Amino acid sequence: MNHFLWLLPLVFPHLSSPVILLERSDGNLFHWNHLMKGDKLVLHRSKRDWMWRQFFLSEEYTGSNYQYVGKLRSDKDRGDGTARYVLSGEGAGTIFRIDEKSGDLHATQRLDREEKASYTLQAQAFNKITGLPLEPATEFIVKIHDINDNEPKFTKAVYTASVPEMSDIGTFVIEVNATDADDATYGNSAKLVYSILQGQPYFSVEPETGIVRIALSNMDREVRKEYQVVIQAKDMAGQMGGLSGTTMVNVTLTDVNDSPPRFAYSSYHLSTYESAEIGSTVGRIKANDGDEGENAEMKYRIVDGDGKEYLDIITDETTQEGVMVIKKKLDYESKRVYTVKVEVTNTHQDPSFSDLGPFLDTAIVKVTAKDVDEPPVFSRPQYVFEVNEDTPKGIGMSVTVSVIFYFFLKPVHRYAIDQHTDPERLYHIDPKNGSITILKSLDREVSKWHNISVLASEINNPHQRSRVPVLIKVLDVNDNAPEFAMIYETFVCENVKAGQLIQTISAIDTDDPLVGHKFVFTLSSMNPNFTIFDNEDNTARILTRRSGFNRREMSVYYLPVVISDSDYPIQSSTSTLTIRVCSCDATGNMRSCSVDALLLSAGLSTGALVAILLCILILLMIVVLFSALKKQRRKEPLIISKEDVRDNVVSYNDEGGGEEDTQAFDIGTLRHPEVIESNKLRRDIIPEMLFPYHRPSPMKECADVRDFIISRLQENDTDPFTPPYDSLATYAYEGNGSIAESLSSLESSVTEGDHEYDYLSNWGPQFKKLADMYIGKDTGVAN
């Protein structure tokens, strides 16, 4: 049981007298209320409820002393000074302080309810001597009593709103909202009332909600577009002494289509030259519309007038202007003033404003044609005509021959063809009547179209000249025979069977028939070896009629094939198909053909091969001649001048170290040529050996030289980087070795007699020139 005695001076603004709460030791709480009717005290007994265990303080206390909160006293305190009161909880010792002896509670700081509305504290009494608590700790609450110290604040400093013009009274515009930091549950400190300070009589605001509405009807955007409205929020329910705050509302009237388009003038006068081209601009007119955006979009049209056939008006969507253009060429000589009636209307109309009148307007536009000296005018912007490619030429003939067309113009006196457009001089035009004739035969296969320009000028004023394009299409005539579509490289295997397909052929024709090509393939005569089968799809198959072909008996067959078209007149040609006889494997793959077949398959004709061989022979002759001249050149003496009397020691025994000399080259390579790479493939020669048979050399004692030459020959034949076919190679070789016993560096023969080179003639054409150089000639001995 709590034995505190609480003396709480409570201040309530709505009570006329203080209330004293007493807590007795038996736990009963009594309310003592001093009434104004008399001095009689009325005692009300209630249950013990600590919800009244509260202290109240006013915020923003401005006194110089500490603000007194209340007094705490325990019934265990005998008043002899042995009781000590201790305070704990929120703000204890800083914000709140208690007198240890008397239990008086004070607030040491100025408090703000908006920062913290209440504080929870605990009080307990202790014995100063023993330090023991006199009773358990008791919790109580100190609430901060609110005062009106905060003005209302709007959520935005400036509001932006828009409302359509011509809106009715009461139309919603915007809702503004203000807040007050004071206590809304106590008094009227946070009760706000809205009012309008600026913006009347156009707008109004609801006092409780802050909703802004239209207060004046027929507000016209074209008269005034923007408004600034000042709204005030005041607390204390708007009473005197309340605090207030304001905000600005920028209201914009949005456009509606309530303004019809209107012309500034009832009539407009424009002018242009009669030479103005169709589609060219004559002038511009514009109607005024007070609306904006799509509500101001207009459309112009001509509704009446004698110039309706010659003039037209289009709308410039960017500037909303009416652009008057030429619809038909004007003629000053026939009519000088063209009058039209132009109507303008809004593109987007609002039926709700139809009572404001018709949303259209009309004006009269007069266009005056001005005279100019005009050039000749062709009846058409261009001419397109057709002519057969076999049309005969009309040089020296009357204009009625091969006439393609005539020009029909206004008075024009001279015609001419622009020679830059007819560089081959295929056409001629009569300078008086404009008839065009053909000067040369036309060939569709060379050119299908001829584009020329015809000029027309006045005789009196040649500068007045006009031009017109003339397009002449050359029609096809069947004047070309079909032929093979490509060059066929056909071969037949020696082991082929009768009836086997060896080639499929097709044809091409430079003509262009209307229904497409239809070729017929036949043989010019009966052939015992081959036959042809027409596939009837512009292709044909070449088949064998027998088996047992032999390339040694006949290596090439020529098969004449007749190809005809189906147009009129029928054209045909004979193309020869060359068929080579080749050796094939069991699956029909070609293995080898004759030499001529191989060369021709490489794309070389017989004349080209003869020319290549002649060039090779000439090169070989030049090389041989150069070598002969070099050998005949005499060795220059060591002592050139006779006056040079200096001693000169000349050594003649320096012919190389033989096998011991490894500075110049590796003698092992010459001794063992098989170490050289022999697996290189020649990419520039045909795979077969043209002369596979070599007769062995009759000189057994020269085997070393022969082996060396053969190895070098094989190396050059298999080297992919050597020149193609025949070439000249020099082989420097000293023999088996020498220790200065011989003055000759060659010991390819056991004797010092003449060498026999007849066997070189049997080695093939590659060594024929080499044999001619040495057979029958003496071999000199070095001195």
Side-chain angles (χ1 to χ4, degrees):
M1 178 181 296
N2 199 322
H3 300 283
F4 270 102
L5 176 64
W6 302 81
L7 298 179
L8 308 178
L10 305 180
V11 180
F12 295 96
H14 59 281
L15 298 180
S16 58
S17 61
V19 176
I20 301 176
L21 302 181
L22 298 177
E23 182 184 5
R24 293 173 49 180
S25 60
D26 58 359
N28 294 325
L29 184 67
F30 295 92
H31 295 256
W32 294 89
N33 191 352
H34 181 69
L35 302 179
M36 297 296 297
K37 296 181 179 180
D39 297 334
K40 183 179 179 180
L41 297 177
V42 180
L43 181 63
H44 299 279
R45 181 176 182 180
S46 63
K47 290 184 178 180
R48 177 175 179 173
D49 189 354
W50 293 109
M51 63 178 294
W52 293 101
R53 190 175 293 173
Q54 297 178 351
F55 292 94
F56 290 89
L57 287 179
S58 296
E59 64 172 337
E60 304 296 341
Y61 174 72
T62 58
S64 58
N65 299 325
Y66 291 158
Q67 187 178 4
Y68 181 74
V69 179
K71 187 177 183 65
L72 287 85
R73 183 173 179 80
S74 173
D75 56 359
K76 299 292 184 179
D77 186 3
R78 298 184 177 90
D80 55 0
T82 60
R84 181 173 65 89
Y85 296 92
V86 178
L87 184 68
S88 62
E90 295 179 338
T94 57
I95 299 176
F96 301 99
R97 181 176 297 177
I98 191 171
D99 190 325
E100 294 182 353
K101 296 181 180 180
S102 62
D104 292 333
L105 182 64
H106 291 83
T108 63
Q109 298 180 9
R110 182 178 179 180
L111 302 180
D112 188 357
R113 189 200 66 84
E114 285 71 36
E115 294 182 0
K116 189 172 179 61
S118 63
Y119 297 85
T120 301
L121 299 169
Q122 295 83 30
Q124 191 173 12
F126 293 87
N127 189 301
K128 288 184 179 181
I129 300 174
T130 64
L132 297 176
L134 299 178
E135 57 184 13
T138 300
E139 183 177 88
F140 63 96
I141 298 175
V142 178
K143 285 191 174 183
I144 309 302
H145 187 66
D146 182 54
I147 64 174
N148 189 18
D149 61 341
N150 291 280
E151 71 277 2
K153 292 184 179 180
F154 284 91
T155 56
K156 293 182 180 180
V158 178
Y159 289 85
T160 301
S162 61
V163 63
E165 62 175 331
M166 309 300 291
S167 297
D168 297 332
I169 296 176
T171 302
F172 175 84
V173 178
I174 195 173
E175 181 179 358
V176 297
N177 185 25
T179 59
D180 196 318
D182 293 326
D183 190 0
T185 63
Y186 177 76
N188 295 326
S189 298
K191 187 176 182 180
L192 306 181
V193 174
Y194 297 93
S195 61
I196 184 168
L197 300 182
Q198 177 182 323
Q200 296 173 334
Y202 308 103
F203 302 95
S204 63
V205 62
E206 294 181 357
E208 294 81 10
T209 62
I211 296 176
V212 180
R213 299 183 183 274
I214 294 291
L216 184 65
S217 61
N218 298 327
M219 297 176 63
D220 193 356
R221 187 198 65 85
E222 287 73 35
V223 177
R224 183 177 178 182
K225 181 179 180 180
E226 296 180 349
Y227 297 84
Q228 289 184 342
V229 182
V230 178
I231 305 296
Q232 174 184 264
K234 190 174 183 179
D235 58 13
M236 297 299 293
Q239 299 177 5
M240 292 290 293
L243 302 179
S244 64
T246 59
T247 186
M248 178 77 70
V249 180
N250 293 326
V251 182
T252 302
L253 297 183
T254 58
D255 184 58
V256 297
N257 193 7
D258 60 339
S259 298
R262 292 289 181 263
F263 283 110
Y265 306 99
S266 60
S267 63
Y268 295 84
H269 295 271
L270 305 174
S271 63
T272 185
Y273 288 99
E274 62 173 336
S275 60
E277 298 293 334
I278 295 176
S280 60
T281 301
V282 178
R284 291 171 176 257
I285 61 175
K286 184 177 181 180
N288 299 320
D289 193 328
D291 298 322
E292 63 180 6
E294 68 174 14
N295 295 325
E297 293 180 1
M298 295 174 285
K299 181 175 65 177
Y300 300 84
R301 68 187 185 100
I302 295 177
V303 295
D304 198 4
D306 57 9
K308 186 176 181 180
E309 181 182 355
Y310 297 89
L311 299 171
D312 194 9
I313 190 169
I314 58 177
T315 304
D316 188 335
E317 296 181 357
T318 303
T319 61
Q320 296 300 314
E321 294 177 319
V323 183
M324 191 70 65
V325 296
I326 300 296
K327 184 179 179 181
K328 185 179 178 180
K329 294 284 288 188
L330 306 182
D331 188 4
Y332 172 83
E333 288 71 24
S334 61
K335 190 176 180 64
R336 300 189 178 184
V337 179
Y338 299 84
T339 304
V340 292
K341 184 178 182 180
V342 178
E343 179 184 84
V344 60
T345 59
N346 276 131
T347 304
H348 307 280
Q349 296 186 15
D350 191 347
S352 59
F353 299 101
S354 59
D355 57 337
L356 298 179
F359 280 76
L360 59 86
D361 197 10
T362 59
I364 301 299
V365 179
K366 296 181 179 181
V367 177
T368 302
K370 297 188 290 185
D371 186 30
V372 294
D373 187 8
E374 298 172 318
V377 179
F378 288 94
S379 59
R380 281 184 277 175
Q382 70 175 13
Y383 295 83
V384 180
F385 299 94
E386 298 178 347
V387 59
N388 292 329
E389 62 177 327
D390 60 350
T391 302
K393 55 187 178 180
I395 297 179
M397 303 178 69
S398 65
V399 294
T400 59
V401 178
S402 303
V403 175
I404 299 179
F405 62 89
Y406 291 92
F407 291 106
F408 299 97
L409 308 171
K410 292 183 179 181
V412 174
H413 305 284
R414 186 173 298 278
Y415 300 91
I417 294 178
D418 188 350
Q419 299 301 331
H420 295 89
T421 62
D422 185 24
E424 299 179 1
R425 305 296 189 269
L426 299 177
Y427 302 97
H428 170 73
I429 188 170
D430 190 287
K432 295 182 179 180
N433 59 22
S435 61
I436 295 180
T437 56
I438 299 175
L439 298 180
K440 298 180 182 180
S441 299
L442 305 179
D443 189 357
R444 190 199 67 86
E445 284 69 39
V446 175
S447 179
K448 297 180 181 180
W449 286 88
H450 297 275
N451 303 332
I452 63 175
S453 294
V454 174
L455 308 174
S457 60
E458 297 179 359
I459 294 178
N460 297 332
N461 188 4
H463 296 287
Q464 293 294 337
R465 184 173 60 180
S466 59
R467 176 189 300 266
V468 68
V470 179
L471 310 180
I472 303 172
K473 181 179 181 181
V474 182
L475 301 179
D476 183 48
V477 175
N478 191 26
D479 57 349
N480 292 280
E483 57 186 8
F484 279 158
M486 58 182 295
I487 299 176
Y488 294 99
E489 298 178 1
T490 307
F491 71 93
V492 61
C493 297
E494 291 180 313
N495 56 354
V496 72
K497 297 180 180 179
Q500 184 170 340
L501 174 65
I502 62 172
Q503 184 68 59
T504 299
I505 60 175
S506 61
I508 57 174
D509 193 341
T510 56
D511 292 324
D512 189 14
L514 296 177
V515 295
H517 291 292
K518 177 62 179 176
F519 301 130
V520 178
F521 299 86
T522 59
L523 296 180
S524 60
S525 61
M526 181 64 67
N527 191 294
N529 302 310
F530 306 98
T531 184
I532 190 170
F533 180 81
D534 194 338
N535 297 326
E536 297 184 356
D537 60 353
N538 293 337
T539 63
R541 292 176 289 172
I542 305 299
L543 307 175
T544 58
R545 298 190 65 178
R546 66 179 182 88
S547 60
F549 290 89
N550 192 332
R551 61 174 175 169
R552 292 181 176 83
E553 295 177 359
M554 179 68 71
S555 61
V556 180
Y557 291 90
Y558 300 97
L559 183 63
V561 178
V562 179
I563 310 175
S564 304
D565 57 21
S566 57
D567 206 354
Y568 179 83
I570 296 177
Q571 300 287 341
S572 63
S573 65
T574 301
S575 300
T576 301
L577 184 66
T578 302
I579 304 174
R580 306 290 176 182
V581 181
C582 300
S583 174
C584 304
D585 56 15
T587 59
N589 296 322
M590 182 184 68
R591 302 172 65 181
S592 63
C593 295
S594 61
V595 176
D596 294 339
L598 290 173
L599 293 177
L600 289 176
S601 65
L604 298 177
S605 62
T606 304
L609 292 175
V610 173
I612 293 175
L613 292 176
L614 288 177
C615 292
I616 293 175
L617 291 177
I618 292 173
L619 290 175
L620 289 176
M621 293 177 64
I622 293 175
V623 172
V624 170
L625 181 61
F626 178 76
S627 300
L629 292 176
K630 188 175 182 180
K631 284 186 177 183
Q632 292 179 0
R633 185 182 301 171
R634 300 186 63 181
K635 188 173 182 181
E636 186 178 359
L638 297 177
I639 302 177
I640 300 175
S641 177
K642 294 182 179 180
E643 298 178 359
D644 191 354
V645 295
R646 292 177 298 173
D647 294 335
N648 293 279
V649 179
V650 182
S651 177
Y652 297 97
N653 61 351
D654 186 14
E655 57 175 338
E659 294 179 347
E660 290 78 17
D661 187 1
T662 60
Q663 300 298 323
F665 57 89
D666 187 4
I667 194 65
T669 304
L670 298 177
R671 287 298 187 184
H672 303 283
E674 63 273 9
V675 301
I676 304 175
E677 293 182 12
S678 60
N679 56 352
K680 297 180 181 179
L681 299 179
R682 289 287 295 267
R683 296 174 294 179
D684 54 337
I685 63 173
I686 57 180
E688 294 187 359
M689 295 298 296
L690 299 180
F691 299 92
Y693 176 73
H694 289 175
R695 190 173 66 180
S697 174
M699 297 187 64
K700 302 298 183 179
E701 64 277 4
C702 298
D704 189 42
V705 175
R706 182 183 67 251
D707 295 338
F708 170 74
I709 294 176
I710 291 175
S711 64
R712 285 302 180 91
L713 176 63
Q714 182 181 4
E715 176 186 357
N716 280 272
D717 286 342
T718 58
D719 189 356
F721 300 102
T722 57
Y725 303 110
D726 296 333
S727 61
L728 179 64
T730 303
Y731 306 107
Y733 181 54
E734 286 189 308
N736 293 327
S738 173
I739 313 178
E741 294 181 355
S742 173
L743 297 179
S744 175
S745 62
L746 297 174
E747 285 190 10
S748 59
S749 177
V750 296
T751 64
E752 296 182 359
D754 294 339
H755 295 280
E756 296 295 337
Y757 296 100
D758 294 336
Y759 63 90
L760 295 177
S761 301
N762 300 324
W763 285 10
Q766 297 96 325
F767 299 95
K768 186 175 184 304
K769 292 297 180 181
L770 188 62
D772 293 341
M773 292 173 57
Y774 290 98
I775 293 177
K777 295 183 180 181
D778 295 335
T779 304
V781 179
N783 294 325

